[in-house]
């Protein structure tokens, strides 16, 4: 008969010490070291990205003669705010800024609501032709915007929306990219939440606004910032639709006032570019955490 060793006896303690200890596998993450040259490459890329913006801000405080000087100067020899004074005095800046803000905010809000609705339908609802509709959404992503520009302009003009803010907003109130983004994100939400709400008697609108939308804030923030940025910087469509100065947006007014037939006022153009970029940077800095979560969880690279 085999004898069991009592852990309290010296023989059992000696036998326990004779057992070879198993080596724990080393974590691969601890052995990975980032090479120094990679930091150099990333630092060079950062400089290449940031340098044009720094040059734009610094040069906006230079007089026109210094902006055009050869060789160019990095820091302004004589700091001036004349470019900003001309920007706010010669241009009806509050009107242009208000038009751009109304269009960008409305387009962003419309995409967040309507793209989420269609994304929810394509992700969680079952209806005939669902795959065909999703295929059409993906197909429109491959169509360049220039192809639909003239038909869209003719349609907008025929329904009487030319030279109006609704004419600049409605054609972009929902886009295929937003539908695809929200559909991919909503697919990751558990079906049990929707089924539980239906058992409790909630309708689809109640489920969408009370359950789906609160869980989609990362993707909504990403979609909102991207559409806000695109609408804020949109130049060609407002240039064609707006026929009077009171309907101009900031990019259109800046291009018409700073770029003339005989000469271009680069100092004024740089100052206007700074003013146009600042709201976008503020929106991105406020929502950057949500943007990163939405991009990571949706799988959009």
């Amino acid at each position: 008969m085999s004898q069991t060793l009592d852990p309290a006896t010296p023989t059992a303690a000696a036998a326990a010490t004779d057992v070879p200890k198993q080596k724990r596998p080393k974590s691969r993450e601890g052995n990975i070291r980032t090479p120094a040259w990679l930091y150099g490459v990333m630092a060079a890329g950062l400089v290449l990205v940031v340098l044009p913006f720094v040059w734009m801000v610094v040069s906006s405080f230079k007089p026109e003669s210094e902006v055009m000087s050869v060789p160019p100067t990095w820091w302004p020899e004589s700091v001036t705010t004349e470019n900003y004074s001309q920007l706010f005095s010669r241009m009806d800046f509050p009107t242009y800024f208000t038009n751009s803000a109304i269009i960008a905010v409305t387009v962003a809000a419309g995409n967040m609501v309507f793209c989420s609705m269609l994304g929810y339908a394509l992700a969680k609802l079952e209806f005939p032709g669902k795959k065909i509709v999703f295929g059409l959404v993906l197909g429109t992503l491959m169509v360049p915007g220039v192809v639909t520009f003239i038909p869209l302009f003719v349609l907008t003009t025929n329904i009487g929306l030319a030279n109006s803010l609704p004419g600049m907003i409605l054609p972009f109130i929902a886009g295929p990219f937003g539908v695809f983004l929200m559909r991919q994100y909503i697919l990751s939400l558990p079906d049990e939440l929707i089924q539980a709400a239906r058992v409790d008697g909630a309708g689809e609108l109640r489920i969408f606004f009370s359950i789906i939308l609160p869980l989609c804030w990362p993707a909504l923030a990403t979609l909102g910032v991207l559409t806000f940025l695109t609408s804020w910087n949109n130049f060609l469509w407002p240039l064609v639709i707006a026929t009077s100065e009171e309907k101009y947006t900031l990019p259109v007014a800046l291009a018409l006032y700073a770029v003339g037939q005989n000469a271009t006022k680069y100092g004024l153009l740089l100052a206007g570019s700074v003013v146009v970029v600042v709201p976008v940077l503020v929106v991105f800095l406020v929502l950057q955490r949500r943007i990163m979560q939405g991009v990571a969880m949706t799988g959009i690279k």
Side-chain angles (χ1 to χ4, degrees), residues 108-191:
N111 275 268
M112 292 169 66
V113 174
F114 296 117
C115 293
S116 300
M117 287 183 174
L118 186 53
Y120 169 66
L122 293 175
K124 298 300 184 181
L125 301 182
E126 296 295 335
F127 55 91
K130 175 180 176 179
K131 294 183 179 180
I132 297 177
V133 174
F134 183 62
L136 292 175
V137 172
L138 294 180
T140 54
L141 284 172
M142 306 176 188
V143 179
V146 181
V147 176
T148 59
F149 189 86
I150 295 178
L152 190 61
F153 172 75
V154 173
L155 179 62
T156 305
T157 305
N158 290 338
I159 61 178
L161 294 180
N163 195 32
S164 64
L165 294 183
M168 304 180 195
I169 295 173
L170 291 179
F172 307 100
I173 202 68
F177 174 77
V179 175
F180 175 75
L181 181 72
M182 297 308 301
R183 186 252 183 191
Q184 295 301 109
Y185 186 87
I186 295 175
L187 276 176
S188 63
L189 301 180
D191 296 335

Side-chain angles (χ1 to χ4, degrees), residues 43-52:
L46 178 63
V47 171
L48 292 176
V49 172
V50 175
L51 190 61

Side-chain angles (χ1 to χ4, degrees), residues 1 17 28 55 69 97 109 136 168 177 208 213 257 268 272:
M1 295 179 62
T17 56
R28 295 182 61 184
W55 175 265
S69 63
F97 184 88
L136 292 175
M168 304 180 195
F177 174 77
F208 176 75
L213 275 187
Y257 280 96
L268 182 62

Side-chain angles (χ1 to χ4, degrees), residues 237-280:
W237 182 253
L239 177 65
V240 174
I241 288 296
T243 57
S244 59
E245 292 188 4
E246 61 269 12
K247 301 299 181 183
Y248 285 168
T249 59
L250 268 180
V252 174
L254 182 61
L256 294 180
Y257 280 96
V259 181
Q261 296 180 354
N262 299 324
T264 301
K265 301 176 182 178
Y266 289 101
L268 182 62
L269 188 61
L270 291 171
S273 301
V274 173
V275 174
V276 171
V277 168
V278 166
V280 178

Side-chain angles (χ1 to χ4, degrees), residues 5-295:
L5 296 177
D6 187 3
T9 60
T11 307
T17 56
D18 293 339
V19 176
K21 296 181 179 180
Q22 296 181 353
K23 295 182 179 181
R24 295 181 179 179
K26 294 183 179 180
S27 176
R28 295 182 61 184
E29 296 181 358
N31 297 332
I32 297 177
R33 294 182 179 180
T34 305
W37 62 267
L38 185 58
Y39 287 105
V41 172
M42 291 188 294
L46 178 63
V47 171
L48 292 176
V49 172
V50 175
L51 190 61
F53 293 96
V54 176
W55 175 265
M56 177 182 66
V57 176
V58 172
S59 298
S60 65
F61 293 97
K62 296 179 182 178
E64 188 70 23
S65 58
E66 188 175 351
V67 174
M68 300 298 297
S69 63
V70 179
T73 58
W74 178 254
W75 297 108
E77 297 178 356
S78 57
V79 179
T80 179
T81 58
E82 181 65 23
N83 297 322
Y84 291 94
S85 300
Q86 293 182 10
L87 180 66
F88 292 104
S89 61
R90 295 185 180 181
M91 297 172 53
D92 190 2
F93 184 82
T95 300
Y96 305 145
F97 184 88
T98 303
N99 292 340
S100 294
I102 292 174
I103 294 172
V105 171
T106 307
V107 170
N111 275 268
M112 292 169 66
V113 174
F114 296 117
C115 293
S116 300
M117 287 183 174
L118 186 53
Y120 169 66
L122 293 175
K124 298 300 184 181
L125 301 182
E126 296 295 335
F127 55 91
K130 175 180 176 179
K131 294 183 179 180
I132 297 177
V133 174
F134 183 62
L136 292 175
V137 172
L138 294 180
T140 54
L141 284 172
M142 306 176 188
V143 179
V146 181
V147 176
T148 59
F149 189 86
I150 295 178
L152 190 61
F153 172 75
V154 173
L155 179 62
T156 305
T157 305
N158 290 338
I159 61 178
L161 294 180
N163 195 32
S164 64
L165 294 183
M168 304 180 195
I169 295 173
L170 291 179
F172 307 100
I173 202 68
F177 174 77
V179 175
F180 175 75
L181 181 72
M182 297 308 301
R183 186 252 183 191
Q184 295 301 109
Y185 186 87
I186 295 175
L187 276 176
S188 63
L189 301 180
D191 296 335
E192 289 76 11
L193 294 175
I194 301 175
Q195 294 173 0
R198 289 172 179 167
V199 170
D200 291 338
E204 296 300 332
L205 287 178
R206 179 68 180 274
I207 294 173
F208 176 75
F209 286 105
S210 300
I211 298 177
I212 300 300
L213 275 187
L215 296 176
C216 292
W217 277 115
L220 288 174
T222 304
L223 178 60
V225 171
L226 292 178
T227 52
F228 181 89
L229 175 62
T230 303
S231 181
W232 181 268
N233 294 328
N234 193 5
F235 172 75
L236 188 57
W237 182 253
L239 177 65
V240 174
I241 288 296
T243 57
S244 59
E245 292 188 4
E246 61 269 12
K247 301 299 181 183
Y248 285 168
T249 59
L250 268 180
V252 174
L254 182 61
L256 294 180
Y257 280 96
V259 181
Q261 296 180 354
N262 299 324
T264 301
K265 301 176 182 178
Y266 289 101
L268 182 62
L269 188 61
L270 291 171
S273 301
V274 173
V275 174
V276 171
V277 168
V278 166
V280 178
L281 291 179
V282 172
V283 172
F284 178 79
L285 292 176
V286 172
L287 299 176
Q288 62 176 341
R289 182 178 179 183
R290 296 291 186 181
I291 295 172
M292 298 306 174
Q293 291 179 357
V295 172

